Amino acid sequence: MSSFSGLVDADAAVRNLSGALLARDVVTIRRIVVRAVAERGFSSMWTTVVAPVLEWADEGRNSDAAAAASVRVFAECVAGILSTMTLDAPIGGGGRVLLVQPPADTPGAIPADPYGLEFRALGAALATASVDTRIALPLCRSALLAAVTNAEPDVIVLWLPAAGCDVASLLRAIRRRRTGLTMLAGGPGGRTQSLPRTIAALGALDAAVDAVAAVT
């Protein structure tokens, strides 16, 4: 990890966070992230502080075992912070949103984001923006459909896997469970596969939050 370069001219928070990653200093990681949320807002924290460090870390993730371990500790720490922010946020008003990550059609496919940080970040961003959000990570389609029935959402955001899934078939199954839904899609698969005209594609984090909030 010491061979990583490219952060000399970066934001001080980015340099400090990368140093905490190298040291596996989870206390400092949390302090930097929480402070960045307070000072910049959630979306800006993610795009200007955490995302650059994740991109930097990806350069050396496979360089050696120590590098991989440091990245794993960092990712698990950030995932915990995001989960806490999601759970601690007051329940928002307006329509109920179900943020769900469908399983890939290809079993065992390697995910583009192995720690699910982008998915967790969107959930935390929606929750902290006072959107009434439910989150589901179903292991199979039947579990996903059960989540739709139980959550009774007004809006569903599908976080599509890079390995792909049959979106058209999934939408038909969802609409048989619940009518009158607004459907949005994001994630690695949302950026690479064609979507039915009845489902809108989400952009970057701040634009995604605005798009979801606009239909609730």
Side-chain angles (χ1 to χ4, degrees):
M1 296 283 283
S2 60
S3 63
F4 286 11
S5 59
L7 293 182
V8 175
D9 298 323
D11 184 304
V14 173
R15 295 197 307 273
N16 292 338
L17 191 58
S18 65
L21 182 156
L22 288 171
R24 305 184 195 178
D25 183 349
V26 296
V27 173
T28 299
I29 291 170
R30 178 176 179 78
R31 176 177 55 77
I32 292 170
V33 171
V34 171
R35 177 181 293 176
V37 171
E39 294 177 348
R40 309 175 187 219
F42 185 92
S43 293
S44 181
M45 172 281 294
W46 184 259
T47 57
T48 66
V49 180
V50 173
V53 172
L54 287 171
E55 292 171 5
W56 169 79
D58 274 337
E59 297 175 4
R61 186 189 298 270
N62 299 317
S63 61
D64 54 50
S70 294
V71 175
R72 183 172 63 253
V73 169
F74 177 76
E76 290 175 351
C77 180
V78 171
I81 295 168
L82 296 176
S83 294
T84 299
M85 289 180 177
T86 303
L87 293 172
D88 287 350
I91 296 176
R96 180 175 298 172
V97 176
L98 175 63
L99 173 60
V100 60
Q101 183 169 283
D105 288 341
T106 306
I110 298 175
D113 178 14
Y115 299 100
L117 294 181
E118 281 190 297
F119 176 80
R120 293 172 184 271
L122 179 56
L126 290 171
T128 56
S130 298
V131 175
D132 185 359
T133 307
R134 304 291 188 274
I135 298 175
L137 286 163
L139 297 178
C140 61
R141 178 172 291 199
S142 60
L144 187 156
L145 296 175
V148 172
T149 299
N150 294 332
E152 300 183 336
D154 302 293
V155 178
I156 292 182
V157 179
L158 297 175
W159 191 259
L160 301 175
C165 66
D166 187 346
V167 178
S169 171
L170 181 60
L171 293 185
R172 288 194 296 270
I174 289 173
R175 292 191 188 282
R176 284 195 293 269
R177 291 292 184 103
R178 187 164 176 81
T179 59
L181 287 165
T182 298
M183 307 287 288
L184 306 168
R191 295 189 284 266
T192 58
Q193 71 180 99
S194 298
L195 299 174
R197 285 179 296 178
T198 56
I199 185 168
L202 296 174
L205 183 64
D206 52 353
V209 173
D210 290 342
V212 174
V215 295
T216 59

